[in-house]
Amino acid sequence: MTISDHETISTETVFVIDVNDRFAHLFCNVSDLLDTHEGAHLKPPRGLDFYDQDGQRLAPVFDEAWTLRGLVKTNEKPDPAAVQARIAAVFAYLAEYTSSHPDEISEDYGLSVDEALGELPALDGKSLTESIAVLSGITHGAGVAGEAQGDPGNWFHNLMHKL
């Protein structure tokens, strides 16, 4: 199959969650994802799962050079509760990591553990829609391809990229 054989998703909110639930990123649409390094080869490689705002799993579409070119809906039934649980697991991991690495949090982000934990969004018990609203309000956009990003993101966003 070629890319043109797929109806790629282009305008929906997209979640990227690594397979170990240690990283999550919310994008306004697939174009924003493709304009960032999440769409490029990662070093070291990171297994990523993709979902839309309804909890529908999305499959990656690659070109002949194995570059991510888009996402398509799978035949799986949407499971917003499972996606929500994975996002909450990512933030639980960040809280655990933060608590066990106080010197790193202080040196890299200028925060005490209590300050950092106070800034982590509380996602437990929220719906996927509620989590999207929370995360949209505290994370930065992908920016325009080729332009320097004005907003470097908050500390937990940057920590997830570091881990």
Side-chain angles (χ1 to χ4, degrees), residues 93-113:
Y93 172 74
L94 287 176
E96 178 184 310
Y97 186 92
T98 297
S99 294
S100 62
H101 295 84
D103 292 340
E104 178 183 345
I105 300 304
S106 176
E107 291 170 17
D108 291 354
Y109 308 108
L111 298 170
S112 70
V113 169

Side-chain angles (χ1 to χ4, degrees), residues 48-59:
L48 299 173
D49 293 322
F50 303 93
Y51 300 91
D52 71 11
Q53 74 274 357
D54 299 320
Q56 173 72 54
R57 183 182 295 274
L58 303 172

Side-chain angles (χ1 to χ4, degrees), residues 8 11 22-23 33-34 36 44-45 59 66 77 79 87 89 99-100 107 117 121 128 130 134 145 156 159 162-163:
T8 59
T11 59
R22 300 280 161 57
F23 171 87
L33 165 68
L34 295 174
T36 69
W66 288 100
K77 182 180 175 185
D79 193 349
I87 295 166
S99 294
S100 62
E107 291 170 17
L117 293 176
L128 184 57
E130 291 168 329
V134 168
F156 53 87
L159 178 61
K162 183 178 169 182
L163 298 177

